[in-house]
Amino acid sequence: MGGDKVLTLNISTNDLSNALEKSNDLHGFIEKNQEALLQISLPDYLKKLLAEKKLVKAEVIARSGLAKIYAYQIFSGKRSPTRKKVLALALAMYLSTSECNCLLRQAQCNALYPKCKFDLIVIFALKEGFSVMETNEVLYDYGLGLLE
């Protein structure tokens, strides 16, 4: 996992998708766009987010409400988190919706979808800077499952 290469976005996702639609040469397309296709591992992406946002891992874990051992295993790559655990980390890291969706993709989870009430609440919580506990309170008020 740690040997994965860093994601480089030389081309936007939309541009890449449009170019793929027009291409009839899969091998050539992959060769030409190799850099845009590489993925960073989840632990490396989490490490990158911590550095970019000047956050401390222990503080993020404490704010996430996740069990410490489990959370450290996510950060080290020993555990693959559920979508709800990734969302708890995103809230604890004060991520934007876009950053959260990137984190979800790195964790091989579905992106937030605003037509889903659960996801809509999480998007609002991210936008407003809610804590995991505050988000869970709103989710509970709407009769939805909690993050943790």
Side-chain angles (χ1 to χ4, degrees):
M1 230 184 213
D4 293 346
K5 295 189 179 178
V6 173
L7 176 69
T8 57
L9 297 175
N10 298 332
I11 183 172
S12 75
T13 303
N14 284 340
D15 289 345
L16 188 66
S17 183
N18 290 337
L20 180 59
E21 284 291 322
K22 295 174 185 171
S23 177
N24 58 4
D25 175 15
L26 179 62
H27 180 73
F29 182 84
I30 290 173
E31 283 288 316
K32 180 179 178 188
N33 296 288
Q34 189 64 38
E35 288 296 312
L37 303 177
L38 297 177
Q39 293 202 357
I40 185 172
S41 68
L42 179 60
D44 288 343
Y45 191 67
L46 286 167
K47 194 181 307 179
K48 178 179 177 275
L49 285 172
L50 288 173
E52 283 177 2
K53 296 192 164 286
K54 297 178 174 65
L55 296 169
V56 177
K57 187 188 308 182
E59 291 173 4
V60 168
I61 290 171
R63 283 194 303 267
S64 75
L66 301 175
K68 282 184 187 180
I69 292 172
Y70 190 92
Y72 277 104
Q73 289 173 335
I74 293 170
F75 274 89
S76 71
K78 292 179 180 163
R79 283 271 175 116
S80 295
T82 64
R83 186 172 188 264
K84 288 182 176 183
K85 287 180 176 27
V86 174
L87 292 173
L89 288 172
L91 286 162
M93 296 177 92
Y94 310 113
L95 300 184
S96 67
T97 301
S98 175
E99 291 168 327
C100 178
N101 280 332
C102 286
L103 181 60
L104 285 164
R105 279 192 295 276
Q106 294 307 321
Q108 299 179 358
C109 298
N110 292 331
L112 292 168
Y113 184 59
K115 287 189 175 185
C116 169
K117 193 184 295 184
F118 180 94
D119 287 6
L120 175 83
I121 291 167
V122 172
I123 292 167
F124 184 82
L126 288 165
K127 179 178 78 76
E128 296 297 320
F130 284 12
S131 68
V132 172
M133 186 180 294
E134 291 169 322
T135 305
N136 277 338
E137 287 173 4
V138 177
L139 290 167
Y140 179 82
D141 288 345
Y142 280 91
L144 301 169
L146 306 180
L147 293 174
E148 285 308 309

